[in-house]
Amino acid sequence: SIRLISIPPSIFRSALSSQGSRVVLEPIPKCDVHRLDEAPSTQVVLTRDEALQYYLTMQTIRSLELKTKQLFDQMIIGGSCHLYAGQEACAVGIEAAIKPTDHLITGYRTHGFAFTRSGSLRAIFAELAGRKTGLSKGRGGSMHMYTKNFYGGWAVVGSQVPLGAGLALACKYRKTDELCVCLYGDGAVNQGQVAETMNMAALWKLPIIFVCENNKYALCTPVERGSVNTNFYTRGDVIPGLRADGMDILCVREATRFASDHCRSGKGPIILELQTYRYFAHYAGDDEDSYRSAEEVDEVRRNRDPISQFEVRIISNNMASTEELRQIDEQIKKEVEEATQFAIQSPEPPVEELCNHIYSNCVPQDVRGINPWTKLKSVS
């Protein structure tokens, strides 16, 4: 279901000609499981086409985030900005295992899924810069992007989890074969609304995958200081759970496939904990040196980086050459730069449209402005 920017034509033609060639790779790490009689397979197969798609999408998200940090530092992007660099295998692995018709909702670290769901770097950068051409027409910014079957990021910790259950309830009520992937961080695990939602989801056997992206820090608090039970995949009590390496895209893909099959078979919810790591501060501007060392971050970058690990894997299995991957990297850089210029040159939303889209399918109506004497028009 991953939406792609363009792969260089020569590589794309080669990928298409060999996409039927499935390579059996070395076994991936085994998942930890809770209340499950079996676990995802450790034996995986991969085609060249899949490998190129996964690499390109992860590398695009990384480049998107590096450019976003630069634009934030230049004050072209304002407001809060939570970067996803380091966690790319989570977004791409999940999308590789579900359908475009499935529903997805997440917290405030939303840029990765905004890309996998929309495929538009232009619309993402425009939204980050608060421009009319953005995914949310310049009104949402970093945390609030939406597109088809993607219900955006939510700023209040854990607030998206009840909404995710509502999406899953809609899937069940309509008798579709769809499910909801509801993501939250390790900092949301202890929220009461998360526990209440899991209880309802289990009672009603909702088709929902609760995905905990455990990046080790809830803002500045290490997980060990915030939770007495850090085995987050077990926190649903009677709800089955599994824990996978969130820095390995194939581990994420296989774990998500397993969880997806569980939900679609009518067994109800399941929890998937992905052990991952963010490279940047909790938000752009956060003083991360106060709670973790630069040496810790560098160690993860050197030894566990999801893109570097995957690059080694596909090259060692003769699925792509270093030259082909560098060609993809150059293409991504061009796409990112073009999208950045498009965003900068796009207009901001006019004040007259400030109150548009408050209501759905309503006749135009007046909305009070910043004082009782100022009136703005709301158009659906």
Side-chain angles (χ1 to χ4, degrees), residues 175-187:
K175 295 182 171 59
T176 68
D177 189 40
E178 300 164 3
L179 56 80
C180 176
V181 176
C182 178
L183 296 106
Y184 55 97
D186 49 275

Side-chain angles (χ1 to χ4, degrees), residues 9-317:
S10 61
I11 295 177
F12 187 61
R13 284 195 297 271
S14 176
L16 286 178
S17 65
S18 61
Q19 63 179 331
S21 303
R22 302 176 68 82
V23 177
V24 179
L25 305 179
E26 64 276 9
I28 58 175
K30 186 177 181 179
C31 289
D32 299 313
V33 297
H34 168 70
R35 289 185 177 270
L36 289 167
D37 296 327
E38 54 184 353
S41 174
T42 60
Q43 194 70 62
V44 297
V45 293
L46 188 69
T47 68
R48 172 179 159 85
D49 188 34
E50 290 172 335
L52 291 175
Q53 287 188 30
Y54 300 166
Y55 177 84
L56 179 134
T57 311
M58 286 197 293
Q59 194 70 284
T60 302
I61 295 171
R62 177 69 57 85
S63 298
L64 160 65
E65 294 299 60
L66 293 176
K67 177 58 72 171
T68 297
K69 177 69 164 61
Q70 179 185 339
L71 296 175
F72 182 87
D73 292 342
Q74 294 172 350
M75 302 181 73
I76 295 173
I77 294 174
S80 296
C81 189
H82 302 81
L83 301 175
Y84 201 66
Q87 299 183 210
E88 296 88 354
C90 297
V92 182
I94 288 171
E95 292 282 20
I98 62 174
K99 303 174 182 178
T101 52
D102 290 326
H103 309 272
L104 197 146
I105 188 168
T106 187
Y108 38 71
R109 207 173 301 280
T110 185
H111 306 163
F113 286 106
F115 176 69
T116 61
R117 286 270 136 172
S118 73
S120 175
L121 287 171
R122 282 186 166 200
I124 292 171
F125 277 116
E127 188 58 42
L128 288 167
R131 306 307 165 102
K132 187 176 180 179
T133 51
L135 272 182
S136 301
K137 305 184 186 301
R139 291 168 167 76
S142 172
M143 294 188 287
H144 306 290
M145 300 189 197
Y146 309 88
T147 190
K148 186 174 177 59
N149 295 328
F150 177 56
Y151 302 85
W154 292 79
V156 178
V157 175
S159 63
Q160 73 277 15
V161 178
L163 299 176
L167 292 167
L169 177 60
C171 295
K172 184 169 184 175
Y173 184 80
R174 294 173 178 174
K175 295 182 171 59
T176 68
D177 189 40
E178 300 164 3
L179 56 80
C180 176
V181 176
C182 178
L183 296 106
Y184 55 97
D186 49 275
V189 168
N190 298 316
Q191 286 281 317
Q193 59 190 331
V194 174
E196 292 176 40
T197 300
M198 288 183 176
N199 181 64
M200 286 193 295
L203 278 172
W204 298 341
K205 291 190 179 300
L206 299 183
I208 182 170
I209 306 174
F210 293 107
V211 181
C212 175
E213 290 184 292
N214 178 6
N215 62 23
K216 309 302 181 185
Y217 293 93
L219 205 157
C220 59
T221 305
V223 292
E224 295 81 8
R225 292 185 60 191
S227 297
V228 67
N229 177 6
T230 57
N231 295 317
F232 299 134
Y233 69 107
T234 70
R235 295 286 291 269
D237 191 12
V238 300
I239 298 177
L242 60 159
R243 178 168 59 192
D245 182 358
M247 305 296 275
D248 186 324
I249 182 174
L250 297 181
C251 284
V252 177
R253 186 189 72 174
E254 296 307 307
T256 307
R257 281 179 176 172
F258 182 93
S260 172
D261 291 342
H262 175 94
C263 288
R264 294 192 209 279
S265 66
K267 296 178 181 177
I270 190 169
I271 298 174
L272 172 57
E273 178 188 345
L274 300 177
Q275 294 188 313
T276 185
Y277 198 84
R278 56 173 164 81
Y279 288 162
F280 290 105
H282 173 70
Y283 59 89
D286 171 28
D287 180 19
E288 62 179 318
D289 293 336
S290 65
Y291 60 87
R292 66 178 187 180
S293 66
E295 292 75 19
E296 176 185 314
V297 180
D298 289 340
E299 192 278 331
V300 177
R301 283 181 180 269
R302 287 195 310 271
N303 300 318
R304 296 186 60 216
D305 181 76
I307 301 174
S308 298
Q309 286 188 102
F310 190 63
E311 178 176 339
V312 169
R313 179 177 277 158
I314 60 180
I315 290 175
S316 63
N317 283 278

